[in-house]
C-alpha cells in the first residue's frame, strides 16, 4: 500500500514492483458531489463538482470571507466513488471540503479536497481523527487510512480514519497537463550526452504542457506542501477537532513535519516514517541517495551471486556487478530492445533504482537484470513476468499522471521538502558526469534532469519550511534506507527536539506496517507506533529495533 518515490516517474514503478496498483495509488478519482455550506449566516460555497471540472468559483471576490468561515462549512457525506470498492465495503463515507486556492486571499477562488471517513469503532475511547499520507510528492491518499488499518490493530478503533487526496491530485480539484505528443523512442545508436539532451527536451516539454493547459498558470503557484498542510488543518477544523493525529511515510513524513511547524498547538499524535534532512533541497536529497543506492546494489549483488544457479548473473558479487555495468554500458551505445520497445540507459537506471530499495525485492531485481542482460545480447525470447509488467506500465497513462503529480509539488515548493532545483540545465549534466567515478550505476540518474523545474515558468509563492521546535512526535527510519538516507533522519531528529527516533538495521524504505506490503514486519516498531497512537505515550528514549528474521538464505 505504501507509495515511495525516487523520481516523479517512479511512482507507478514503485507501486507496480510492490504489487498491483492499490486503492491508495494513482487511480483514485473524485469523491461524490454535494452541497457544501459555510454554516449558519455565512455564504454558501456552491455545489461541488466531480473530477474533471475546474475549481469552484463564487462569483466576485468576497473580501470579508476569512479562513475561519471555511471551518463552519457542512459536509455532505455520501457513498465513496464506485471504484473505491474497499472503502465502500469498509463502511466509509466520502465528501469534499472546500478550501481557498490561496490562503492569503480567502475571499477569492476555491478548490475542493476529496476526503473519506471511517468512524471509530470504540466511540467511548475515541482519540480524535487520524489523517495519513502515503508519500510522493504526487501520491493520493483517499483510501490510505483504510490500508493502514491492519497495521494499526486495535489502535485504529479509537480514531475516525480520515483519508484525503492532496490538492490537485486524484479526486480533489484536479490539475492535469496537456497530453504529450506521440512517443519518440530512443534512437538505435546513442551516447550519454544524447541521452541527457533528450531528458532536457522532455523536461522542457513537460513544463510547457503543464503551464499552458487550461488555467494551470493560475493554479500551479498554489501547489505546495505548506498549502497541503493548511488544507489538512482546515479538514481538522471542519470536523470539529482540536488536534490532528497523523501518519506519513517518505514525502508524507516531511509533510507531517511541516504541519508540526505551522500548527504546533494543533498537532496530536504525530508519526513520521522515513523523513529527510530539512536543510537540504529536494535535488540535494536525490543526489544523496546515490551512494546508499550503490551500497544497496552491492548487497543485492552478493545475494544474486548466492543464487547464481537461478539467475546466472555471476558466482561472485563482482561478477554480478560487472553484468549490471555491462548492461548499462551497452545501453549507452545501443538501447536494449525488448518486445519492440527500446530501453535506454537512463530508463534502465530508474528501473534498477526502484527494487533495490527493499531486501524483499532482490528476486524481482535479479529477474529484471537477467532478462535485460539477455535482451541486450539478443538472447531473450520472451520477457519474464517482472519485465513484462514494467513494459506494460511504461506505455500506460498512469505513468504520465504520476509524473505530473510529482512535478507540480517539486516545482511549486520553495525549498524543503520538495523544492529547490537548479535553474541551469548544465548543472545536472556536470553533476552526472562527476558522479560516475564513485556511483557508476545510480549517479547519472540521481544527479540528472529528474524534474522539469528548471523550465517551470512560475516561481514558488513561499520559501521552504524551517524546522525547529519541540513538538512531541515519533520518528522511524531504517539505517540502510537507500531512498532517503539515515543521516537525513538524524538531522531531522536533531531539529525536532521533542521527537523520539525508532531505528532498525534494514534495507527498506518505510519501517511501520511493512506486512501490509507483503514484507517482513518489524514487530518492535509496529508495537511502539501503536502504543503511541493508542495512549499517547512516547518512549522515554530512542529505540533500536531488531530487524525481522530472514526467511530465505
Amino acid at each position: 500500500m505504501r507509495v515511495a518515490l525516487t523520481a516523479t516517474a517512479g511512482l507507478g514503478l514503485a507501486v507496480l514492483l510492490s504489487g498491483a496498483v492499490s486503492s491508495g495509488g494513482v487511480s483514485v478519482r473524485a469523491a461524490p458531489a454535494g452541497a457544501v455550506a459555510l454554516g449558519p449566516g455565512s455564504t454558501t460555497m456552491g455545489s461541488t463538482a466531480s473530477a474533471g471540472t475546474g475549481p469552484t468559483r463564487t462569483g466576485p471576490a468576497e473580501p470579508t470571507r476569512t479562513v475561519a468561515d471555511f471551518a463552519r462549512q457542512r459536509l455532505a457525506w455520501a457513498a465513496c466513488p464506485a471504484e473505491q470498492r474497499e472503502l465502500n465495503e469498509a463502511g466509509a463515507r466520502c465528501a469534499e471540503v472546500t478550501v481557498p486556492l490561496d490562503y492569503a486571499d480567502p475571499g477569492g477562488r476555491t478548490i475542493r479536497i476529496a476526503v473519506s471517513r471511517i468512524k471509530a469503532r470504540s466511540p467511548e475511547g475515541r482519540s480524535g481523527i487520524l489523517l495519513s499520507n502515503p508519500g510522493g510528492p504526487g501520491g493520493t491518499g483517499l483510501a490510505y487510512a483504510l490500508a493502514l488499518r491492519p497495521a494499526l490493530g486495535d489502535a485504529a478503533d479509537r480514531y475516525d480514519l480520515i483519508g484525503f487526496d492532496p490538492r490537485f491530485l486524484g479526486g480533489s480539484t484536479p490539475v492535469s497537463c496537456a497530453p504529450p505528443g506521440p512517443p519518440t523512442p530512443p534512437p538505435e545508436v546513442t551516447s550519454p550526452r544524447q541521452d541527457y539532451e533528450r531528458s532536457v527536451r522532455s523536461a522542457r516539454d513537460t513544463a510547457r504542457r503543464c503551464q499552458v493547459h487550461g488555467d494551470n498558470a493560475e493554479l500551479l503557484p498554489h501547489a505546495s506542501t505548506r498549502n497541503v498542510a493548511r488544507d489538512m488543518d482546515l479538514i481538522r477544523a471542519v470536523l470539529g477537532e482540536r488536534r490532528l493525529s497523523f501518519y506519513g511515510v517518505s514525502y508524507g513524513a516531511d509533510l507531517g513535519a511541516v504541519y508540526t511547524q505551522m500548527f504546533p498547538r494543533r498537532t496530536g499524535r504525530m508519526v513520521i516514517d522515513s523523513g529527510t534532512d530539512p536543510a537540504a533541497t529536494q535535488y540535494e536529497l536525490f543526489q544523496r541517495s546515490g551512494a546508499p543506492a550503490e551500497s544497496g546494489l552491492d548487497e543485492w549483488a552478493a545475494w544474486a551471486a548466492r543464487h547464481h544457479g537461478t539467475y546466472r548473473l555471476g558466482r561472485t558479487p563482482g561478477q554480478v556487478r560487472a553484468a549490471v555495468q555491462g548492461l548499462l554500458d551497452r545501453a549507452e551505445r545501443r538501447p536494449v530492445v525488448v518486445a519492440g520497445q527500446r530501453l535506454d540507459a537512463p530508463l534502465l537506471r530508474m528501473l534498477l533504482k526502484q527494487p533495490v530499495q527493499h531486501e524483499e525485492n532482490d528476486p524481482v531485481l535479479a529477474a529484471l537484470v537477467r532478462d535485460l542482460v539477455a535482451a541486450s545480447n539478443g538472447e531473450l525470447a520472451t520477457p519474464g513476468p517482472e519485465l513484462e509488467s514494467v513494459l506494460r506500465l511504461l506505455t500506460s497513462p498512469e505513468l504520465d499522471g504520476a509524473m505530473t503529480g510529482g512535478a507540480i509539488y517539486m516545482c511549486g515548493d520553495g525549498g524543503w521538502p520538495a523544492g529547490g532545483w537548479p535553474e541551469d540545465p548544465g548543472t545536472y549534466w556536470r553533476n552526472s558526469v562527476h558522479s560516475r567515478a564513485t556511483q557508476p550505476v545510480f549517479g547519472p540518474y540521481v544527479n540528472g534532469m529528474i524534474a522539469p523545474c528548471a523550465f517551470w515558468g512560475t516561481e514558488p509563492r513561499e520559501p521552504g519550511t524551517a524546522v525547529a521546535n519541540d513538538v512531541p512526535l515519533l520518528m522511524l527510519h531504517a539505517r540502510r534506507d537507500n531512498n532517503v538516507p539515515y543521516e537525513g533522519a538524524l538531522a531531522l531528529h536533531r531539529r525536532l527536539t521533542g521527537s523520539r527516533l525508532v531505528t532498525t538495521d534494514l534495507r527498506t524504505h518505510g519501517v511501520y506496517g511493512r506486512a501490509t506490503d507483503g514484507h517482513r514486519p518489524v514487530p518492535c516498531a509496529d508495537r511502539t507506533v501503536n502504543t503511541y497512537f493508542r495512549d499517547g505515550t512516547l518512549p522515554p528514549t530512542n529505540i533500536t529495533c531488531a530487524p525481522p528474521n530472514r526467511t530465505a538464505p
Side-chain angles (χ1 to χ4, degrees), residues 245-400:
S245 294
F246 179 85
Y247 170 81
V249 63
S250 195
Y251 167 80
D254 294 341
L255 169 62
V258 169
Y259 184 89
T260 68
Q261 304 307 295
M262 297 178 67
F263 304 103
R265 296 182 180 178
R266 299 169 193 166
T267 301
R269 298 167 190 177
M270 174 75 59
V271 177
I272 58 176
D273 188 345
S274 307
T276 62
D277 182 353
T281 67
Q282 181 64 265
Y283 179 61
E284 290 168 341
L285 294 172
F286 274 121
Q287 289 180 292
R288 293 179 188 181
S289 72
E294 297 283 343
S295 297
L297 193 69
D298 287 336
E299 290 183 27
W300 166 80
W303 180 93
R306 294 195 300 272
H307 294 81
H308 174 72
T310 302
Y311 300 104
R312 316 299 296 179
L313 293 174
R315 298 183 182 279
T316 68
Q319 290 174 344
V320 175
R321 264 282 200 165
V324 173
Q325 195 61 54
L327 167 68
L328 294 173
D329 290 345
R330 291 189 295 275
E332 286 186 330
R333 298 188 299 271
R334 290 183 176 274
V336 179
V337 179
V338 183
Q341 291 182 245
R342 291 190 202 130
L343 312 180
D344 59 14
L347 178 59
L348 295 181
R349 287 186 162 93
M350 184 180 73
L351 295 180
L352 299 177
K353 183 71 164 60
Q354 298 303 319
V356 81
Q357 293 179 40
H358 298 282
E359 294 179 9
E360 289 85 354
N361 286 340
D362 284 351
V364 173
L365 180 55
L368 284 173
V369 173
R370 176 194 60 200
D371 284 3
L372 289 168
V373 168
S376 72
N377 292 326
E379 299 169 354
L380 182 66
T382 303
E386 298 85 1
L387 183 53
E388 179 65 30
S389 295
V390 168
L391 295 176
R392 284 198 304 269
L393 181 65
L394 292 176
T395 58
S396 75
E398 286 177 347
L399 188 58
D400 187 62

Side-chain angles (χ1 to χ4, degrees), residues 177-185 201-202 204-210 212-213 394-397 400 403:
C177 301
T184 303
R201 290 194 296 271
S202 176
R204 184 181 284 111
D205 178 68
T206 298
R208 179 193 59 79
R209 291 189 291 108
C210 290
V212 303
H213 188 60
L394 292 176
T395 58
S396 75
D400 187 62
M403 295 176 69

